[in-house]
Amino acid sequence: MLPIAMMGGAAAYLVYHFLLPDVVHEAGPLLEKAVSVIQPLLIFTMLFLTFCRIEPRELKPHRWHWWLLLIQGGTFVLLGIAAALILNRFPGHSDWTVLIESAMLCFICPTATAAAVVTRKLGGDVASITTYTIIINVLVSLLVPAIVPLVHPAADMTFFHAFSLILAKVFPLLIMPCFAAWLVRYLLPAFHRRILSYPDLAFRIWSVSLALAIAVTVKAIVHSSLSVLLLAGISAISLLCCIIQFWAGRKIGHSYGHIPGHSDNSVTAGQAIGQKNTVFAIWMGYTFLSPETSIVGGFYSIWHNLYNSWQIHRHDSAS
């Protein structure tokens, strides 16, 4: 389903861009606005369905969470300091700036809201990855306003302004589905049981959301004014960061053994640090860094979804 969703999203945009007449292209702004509304609704619904399956008491930190936070936060800080030093030394090297900022985005970008859906498919611990998703979003809200001004100074961007922008982006699509799910759990138990009777609904919604995300990614690449060499560099950076984070998450998670009723923590920790909220990364690139860096979120989306497709296929074949 995931490869079909990815190819369908890419093909839909390419057909629209290259084959359809200009009269259809005039609908572009309307289609873009529709996607900007539909995608958050899909994410909200997907998270709501996921939270419906989690008991509130299950949301608690685990020791491996802190190691992943240290990797994400520490790497982001080190890359930020290195970028600031390089820019002070070689202020004219804009391509290197884009590559370093792209790597920063890949590491600090919080866990994807869909990570819980994939983790459940792979037999991981949904409550643990949901807890980590909440914690890493709080960390991002604090670290980005503190570090980004070193690399990309902006006179009108204070710490509290940046913090409020990130919080406004995170709260509706992370905290509100949680509250809504718990209200349904305790106030509408019959409806809650009905929701639980559709175990794959969140995954199917994610496949639609993925098709839209890939279509937006292909659009960004097609319309990019960056050189082919720089695009290839950003693509390579995103792939390297993806490999490192999935590997590190799985290694750390595996060292903490098994959770009763689930596979070992390597699955959950790998998804927690490796599967990213790439829509959020694109937004951070436009808002806080160079607009060119936002395309790294699109490339990362391709890599982590290809890896997820392979993981799910391997898991289903083994079972």
Side-chain angles (χ1 to χ4, degrees):
M1 183 181 291
L2 300 189
I4 290 173
M6 294 175 68
M7 290 186 291
Y13 181 76
L14 292 175
V15 168
Y16 163 81
H17 181 74
F18 291 109
L19 299 181
L20 295 182
D22 292 339
V23 66
V24 180
H25 288 186
E26 293 177 3
L30 180 61
L31 292 173
E32 188 172 3
K33 186 174 182 180
V35 169
S36 69
V37 173
I38 292 171
Q39 222 171 8
L41 287 176
L42 291 174
I43 293 172
F44 183 98
T45 305
M46 186 172 53
L47 268 182
F48 168 76
L49 294 170
T50 301
F51 278 121
C52 281
R53 297 183 174 276
I54 300 174
E55 291 277 358
R57 65 174 179 270
E58 293 176 340
L59 294 177
K60 55 186 178 182
H62 295 274
R63 283 179 294 175
W64 57 264
H65 286 168
W66 311 119
W67 286 109
L68 299 193
L69 291 171
L70 181 61
I71 291 173
Q72 283 194 256
T75 306
F76 174 71
V77 171
L78 290 175
L79 283 171
I81 293 172
L85 293 174
I86 291 172
L87 291 177
N88 287 333
R89 181 77 173 172
F90 307 105
H93 289 216
S94 58
D95 285 359
W96 285 109
T97 304
V98 171
L99 293 176
I100 295 173
E101 290 181 354
S102 296
M104 290 173 64
L105 279 178
C106 287
F107 273 97
I108 200 56
C109 182
T111 307
T113 49
V117 178
V118 178
T119 300
R120 182 172 176 272
K121 274 284 183 185
L122 296 174
D125 185 0
V126 176
S128 291
I129 197 170
T130 303
T131 304
Y132 184 80
T133 302
I134 295 171
I135 296 173
I136 187 60
N137 274 280
V138 173
L139 181 66
V140 169
S141 301
L142 296 172
L143 278 184
V144 170
I147 300 299
V148 164
L150 296 175
V151 184
H152 209 78
D156 59 341
M157 188 67 71
T158 64
F159 176 88
F160 292 104
H161 183 205
F163 177 79
S164 63
L165 284 176
I166 296 175
L167 204 61
K169 196 78 173 176
V170 168
F171 184 82
L173 292 182
L174 186 64
I175 306 302
M176 292 303 293
C178 178
F179 288 155
W182 290 347
L183 285 174
V184 167
R185 173 183 290 272
Y186 294 115
L187 300 181
L188 300 169
F191 181 55
H192 181 255
R193 287 193 297 271
R194 179 87 175 189
I195 291 172
L196 297 183
S197 66
Y198 300 101
D200 284 335
L201 183 56
F203 185 76
R204 296 182 187 279
I205 291 174
W206 179 48
S207 67
V208 177
S209 178
L210 176 59
L212 292 175
I214 294 298
V216 172
T217 295
V218 173
K219 177 192 173 186
I221 294 172
V222 168
H223 290 278
S224 174
S225 59
L226 301 180
S227 67
V228 174
L229 185 61
L230 186 53
L231 282 173
I234 294 173
S235 176
I237 287 288
S238 64
L239 176 58
L240 180 62
C241 292
C242 185
I243 292 170
I244 290 173
Q245 290 180 98
F246 270 111
W247 175 83
R250 281 186 161 271
K251 290 290 286 185
I252 291 171
H254 185 70
S255 67
Y256 282 92
H258 288 66
I259 295 176
H262 300 283
S263 61
D264 66 45
N265 279 313
S266 64
V267 169
T268 311
Q271 296 306 125
I273 193 174
Q275 188 173 345
K276 301 291 189 178
N277 185 349
T278 53
V279 175
F280 190 74
I282 292 170
W283 174 80
M284 281 200 297
Y286 271 112
T287 306
F288 300 108
L289 297 169
S290 307
E292 295 86 352
T293 60
S294 61
I295 203 169
V296 77
F299 281 119
Y300 196 101
S301 176
I302 294 171
W303 304 133
H304 80 186
N305 282 302
L306 285 173
Y307 181 64
N308 283 336
S309 300
W310 175 77
Q311 283 192 107
I312 293 172
H313 171 72
R314 186 182 63 170
H315 179 267
D316 290 348
S317 298
S319 57

